[in-house]
Amino acid sequence: MKILHTSDLHIGHSVSGIDRGEEYERFFEWFEGVANEKKPDCVIVAGDVFDVYFPSNEAIRQYYDFLLSLKNKTKKVIIIGGNHDSFKTLKAPKEILKYLDVVVVSGSEDDFCEFVEFDDFVVVAVSYLREGILKKYDDDIEKAIFKLYQEKLKEAKEKFSGKKVVTTAHFSVSGASLGDSERDIYVGNLEFVSKDVFEGYDYVALGHIHKPQKITENIIYSGSPLALSFKETYQKNIVFIEDDNIEFINVPKFREFASIKGSFKEVYEKISEMKDAFLEIVLDEIVDSEKLKLLKNGENHIVKITLPYVKEIKNFEVKKVTPEDIIKEIFNEKEIIEAFYEIKKEVEDEFGKVED
C-alpha cells in the first residue's frame, strides 16, 4: 500500500489581489517529481481543491494540468470535495476525468462516497459531508457520522475481504491543532468530530486543517501545501504512506510569507535582502509618504503596513475640530506637523483648497 496524501490546495488563492499562479505551477511541478520518485498506488487530495466556489478559468486550467501531470505516475488520483468546493464544479468533468484515472467524489447528495480498489487495499473516499447527506443516516449528527463511516467500513470489508481499508474526511477532528486561516465549518451542528468514527480503518487521510499533524498514528492531516496566511509559518508537508510507515515530506517554500517589525531603517534593510516575498510590515515609528513609497517600490509584495498606535483624542467638540487641530492634538513632533501641511498643500495644488 503506497499513498501520497495532500489536501487544501486552494487553487486560485490570491493575497491582497496578487495572483499566486506561478507558485502553484512550481508546487505542481515539484509534486509531480515526488510522485515519479515514490510511485504511489494512488494520490489522495482530501478536499478544498479550489479556494472559492466559482474558480477562475485559470484556476481550473491549473487543476486539469495538475491531474494530467500525474498520468502514469500513479494508478489513481482520488479527489474529494471540501467545504470551499462547489460540488457542481467538481462533478461536471467527473466522467471525462475517469479516462485520466481520476476518481472525483464531489460532495453532492448522490456523490459523497465511492469505493476505489487496489491490489492490497481499498479507499472509502468520502467527501465533505453536508447536512442533507447525514440526515439519511440519523437526525443526530454525531450518530449519523459514526453510522456512515462504520457502515461503509463494514461494506468495504465484505466486498474486499482481506484488504486494508483507507478512508478520507474533510472536517475538524477533536484534538486537532488549528492552522489559523481555516474557515470555520460545522458538520451539521458539530464543530469537531470524534476520532472514534474512524475506528477500524487502517489509515485516515484528513483535510480541512492547514497544519500537518497526527491525531493518532494512522489518522493524519497532511495540511495545506502552501501557506495561506502570515500566521502559517510552520513547515508545510505532504504525507507518504507505505504500508505501516508514514513519512511527512517537506514542501519547499516557493514564496516567503514574512512579518517584519522595527524602525523604518531596520525594516528597509531587511526587505532589501528579500526578493519576491509577501510582506506584512509593522513600523514602530511614524514615517512620511516618501518613505512609504520607498518601502513599496521594491521587488517584494507588501500586503500590509501598520503604523504605531496613536493616543486617544480627548476634549474636542467635533463640530469645531479642524484637520490641523486633530494633527496637533495627536502629534507633538514638529516634523510630523510640518509633513501634514506639506501633504495638504500638495493636495490643494492638485485638487483645490481643502475646506475645514
Side-chain angles (χ1 to χ4, degrees), residues 117-166:
E117 184 183 12
F118 298 90
D119 291 340
D120 56 351
F121 69 102
V122 59
V123 177
V124 181
V126 180
S127 68
Y128 170 64
L129 297 169
R130 292 173 170 82
E131 191 167 0
I133 296 168
L134 293 170
K135 290 293 185 181
K136 297 175 182 179
Y137 289 85
D138 201 294
D139 288 334
D140 182 295
I141 297 301
E142 191 164 17
K143 290 180 180 177
I145 299 169
F146 184 85
K147 285 182 179 179
L148 186 157
Y149 275 98
Q150 290 304 307
E151 285 183 16
K152 296 300 181 184
L153 175 63
K154 181 180 178 182
E155 186 179 349
K157 285 182 176 294
E158 289 174 352
K159 286 184 176 180
F160 310 99
S161 179
K163 295 190 175 186
K164 291 184 176 182
V165 184
V166 173

Side-chain angles (χ1 to χ4, degrees), residues 291-332:
K291 286 185 176 179
L292 290 178
K293 286 179 183 177
L294 280 175
L295 291 178
K296 293 180 178 180
N297 285 343
E299 296 181 35
N300 295 297
H301 303 288
I302 296 179
V303 175
K304 181 181 179 182
I305 298 177
T306 302
L307 297 172
Y309 176 75
V310 296
K311 69 179 182 179
E312 182 182 359
I313 302 172
K314 297 179 180 178
N315 302 323
F316 269 133
E317 294 180 39
V318 175
K319 64 182 180 180
K320 295 181 180 179
V321 174
T322 67
E324 288 87 344
D325 293 328
I326 295 173
I327 293 297
K328 288 175 182 177
E329 173 65 13
I330 296 175
F331 305 110
N332 293 320

Side-chain angles (χ1 to χ4, degrees), residues 12-61:
H13 184 262
S14 62
V15 178
S16 293
I18 301 168
D19 179 71
R20 303 184 70 186
E22 183 182 347
E23 286 174 83
Y24 278 98
E25 297 287 356
R26 292 167 67 188
F27 166 69
F28 292 143
E29 182 179 351
W30 173 84
F31 191 97
E32 179 187 356
V34 175
N36 190 50
E37 175 190 346
K38 299 294 187 182
K39 295 179 173 50
D41 296 306
C42 72
V43 169
I44 294 176
V45 181
D48 284 355
V49 177
F50 295 107
D51 191 52
V52 294
Y53 253 50
F54 303 106
S56 67
N57 289 337
E58 177 60 17
I60 292 172
R61 180 197 66 77

Side-chain angles (χ1 to χ4, degrees), residues 94-128:
K94 179 182 174 84
E95 295 303 315
I96 296 174
L97 289 177
K98 288 180 180 179
Y99 292 97
L100 289 178
D101 296 316
V102 176
V103 177
V104 176
V105 184
S106 65
S108 67
E109 290 194 18
D110 62 349
D111 183 34
F112 65 90
C113 181
E114 192 165 331
F115 295 97
V116 187
E117 184 183 12
F118 298 90
D119 291 340
D120 56 351
F121 69 102
V122 59
V123 177
V124 181
V126 180
S127 68
Y128 170 64

